[in-house]
């Protein structure tokens, strides 16, 4: 029996008990899903007509436009949050106290505010006629603060010997940050950065509060304006839109995995100057002795010619 730092390894009775709990829990979940499906079927939410609405060209076009609008807002928010995150991380690590205080206050303030309030405040106060930019700005501010803390943790995780060696070589703090610390921080924290981008993608659904026509807002309009058999297709709409969200998040995660693997295979070594060819190395015979080229002796000799050459015994 082996033990872990966090817990003791279960014994034979505990293993049997855990297996029983797992089987019972799985059966309970399956039963709950089955009961839910039966209730939905009894109420007519699973009827073919409820799903046939997605064969209409108008509804499919609305969903396609909503996906495009969602990706636009996400693209702007992703770029904005990463740029703002880098600036805030550098500012919080600055040697100048005013810069550090401003960056820290900004991060703590907008991390504490609910994202919905931030988006709504930006929309009402500054960008009433531009809901997409209001949504992107709110997402950029909140997620930029989170990305800043992620990058700061990555920078602090780099061994201090590397920055000290860079300073010893005469590099400035800007050079150390951009060429030594930041690349390593981004590489080590890349999974967390991508995870936060996935959160940013899902948070675009908050655009419904400012009437931005993203996926959730479009789903609400489809479900509330389309009536089938006297009922509104909320269940089928939620399933379809939820599946689209899951697909987009999985694609983003797959892209992150590909980037991470490609980064591991990238060459990160320093180029070494080409070695000196053997033919370029002077030999003993090529080294002129004292007075070479004139009177006074040549180099190594075999038998004592005039000069101060080296004689062979």
């Amino acid at each position: 029996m082996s033990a872990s730092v966090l817990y003791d390894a279960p014994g034979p009775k505990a293993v049997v008990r855990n297996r029983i709990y797992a089987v019972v829990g799985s059966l309970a979940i399956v039963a709950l899903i089955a009961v839910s499906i039966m209730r939905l079927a009894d109420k007519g939410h699973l009827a073919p007509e409820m799903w046939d609405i997605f064969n209409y060209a108008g509804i499919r076009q609305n969903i396609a436009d909503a996906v495009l609008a969602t990706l636009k807002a996400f693209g702007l928010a992703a770029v904005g949050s990463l740029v703002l995150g880098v600036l805030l991380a550098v500012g919080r690590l600055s040697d100048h106290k005013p810069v550090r205080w401003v960056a820290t206050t900004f991060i703590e303030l907008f991390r504490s505010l609910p994202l919905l309030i931030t988006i709504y405040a930006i929309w009402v106060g500054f960008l009433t006629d531009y809901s997409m930019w209001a949504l992107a700005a709110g997402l950029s501010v909140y997620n930029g603060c989170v990305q800043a803390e992620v990058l700061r943790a990555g920078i602090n995780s780099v061994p201090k010997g590397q920055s000290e060696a860079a300073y010893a070589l005469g590099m400035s703090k800007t050079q150390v940050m951009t060429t030594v610390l930041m690349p390593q921080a981004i590489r080590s924290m890349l999974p967390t950065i991508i995870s936060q981008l996935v959160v940013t993608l899902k948070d675009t659904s908050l655009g419904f509060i400012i009437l931005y026509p993203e996926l959730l807002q479009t789903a609400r309009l489809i479900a509330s304006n389309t009536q089938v058999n006297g009922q509104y297709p909320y269940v089928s709409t939620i399933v379809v839109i939820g599946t689209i969200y899951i697909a987009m998040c999985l694609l983003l995660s797959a892209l992150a995995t590909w980037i991470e693997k490609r980064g591991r295979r990238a060459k990160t070594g320093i180029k070494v100057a080409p070695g000196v060819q053997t033919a370029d190395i002077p030999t003993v015979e090529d080294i002129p002795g004292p007075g070479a080229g004139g009177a006074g002796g040549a180099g190594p000799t075999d038998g004592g010619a005039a000069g101060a050459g080296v004689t062979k015994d």
Side-chain angles (χ1 to χ4, degrees):
M1 181 185 300
S2 61
S4 173
V5 177
L6 300 178
Y7 59 90
D8 294 333
K13 293 183 179 180
V15 170
V16 174
R17 186 167 56 250
N18 292 339
R19 289 177 180 175
I20 294 174
Y21 290 159
V23 172
V24 172
S26 300
L27 292 176
I29 293 175
V30 171
L32 181 62
I33 294 175
V35 170
S36 301
I37 292 176
M38 292 175 60
R39 293 189 62 181
L40 292 174
D42 292 339
K43 293 182 179 181
H45 290 292
L46 301 182
E49 296 81 6
M50 291 291 184
W51 304 88
D52 191 55
I53 61 173
F54 298 103
N55 291 324
Y56 297 140
I59 291 180
R60 287 187 294 182
Q61 185 62 43
N62 290 337
I63 295 176
D65 294 340
V67 171
L68 183 60
T70 299
L71 293 178
K72 283 182 180 179
F74 166 70
L76 294 172
V79 174
S81 63
L82 291 176
V83 173
L84 183 61
V86 172
L87 295 177
L88 291 175
V90 174
R92 190 157 189 182
L93 295 172
S94 175
D95 294 332
H96 305 284
K97 286 186 178 180
V99 177
R100 189 167 63 249
W101 289 345
V102 170
T104 303
T105 303
F106 187 91
I107 290 173
E108 296 300 331
L109 174 63
F110 286 101
R111 282 182 64 196
S112 302
L113 282 176
L115 177 56
L116 190 61
I117 294 178
T118 303
I119 294 173
Y120 189 77
I122 293 175
W123 179 61
V124 172
F126 304 99
L127 299 170
T128 306
D129 298 329
Y130 304 96
S131 57
M132 182 185 72
W133 291 101
L135 176 60
L139 292 173
S140 298
V141 169
Y142 175 79
N143 291 282
C145 295
V146 178
Q147 298 286 20
E149 291 298 282
V150 171
L151 291 173
R152 186 171 69 92
I155 292 172
N156 290 332
S157 67
V158 177
K160 296 199 178 288
Q162 298 195 21
S163 58
E164 293 174 355
Y167 286 127
L169 293 175
M171 299 176 67
S172 64
K173 184 174 182 180
T174 302
Q175 291 174 325
V176 173
M177 182 64 70
T178 56
T179 62
V180 178
L181 299 179
M182 191 62 71
Q184 296 188 69
I186 293 175
R187 178 170 302 217
S188 62
M189 304 303 292
L190 185 60
T192 308
I193 293 173
I194 298 299
S195 298
Q196 190 61 36
L197 289 179
V198 173
V199 174
T200 305
L201 175 60
K202 294 187 295 184
D203 285 343
T204 55
S205 60
L206 296 176
F208 83 95
I209 197 65
I210 59 175
L211 305 180
Y212 180 64
E214 42 75 45
L215 270 174
L216 184 59
Q217 172 71 2
T218 302
R220 187 180 68 84
L221 293 176
I222 292 174
S224 59
N225 294 328
T226 306
Q227 194 172 17
V228 180
N229 296 334
Q231 294 182 343
Y232 294 101
Y234 283 105
V235 174
S236 58
T237 304
I238 290 173
V239 171
V240 171
I241 299 301
T243 303
I244 294 175
Y245 271 116
I246 293 173
M248 290 193 299
C249 292
L250 289 178
L251 288 176
L252 182 59
S253 300
L255 177 62
T257 303
W258 178 79
I259 293 175
E260 185 179 3
K261 290 181 179 179
R262 185 177 179 85
R264 290 177 181 176
R265 294 196 302 264
K267 296 181 180 179
T268 57
I270 301 175
K271 291 185 178 180
V272 181
V276 181
Q277 299 295 328
T278 306
D280 298 333
I281 302 177
T283 60
V284 177
E285 289 77 4
D286 297 330
I287 302 176
T301 60
D302 289 338
V310 180
T311 59
K312 183 184 290 185
D313 292 333

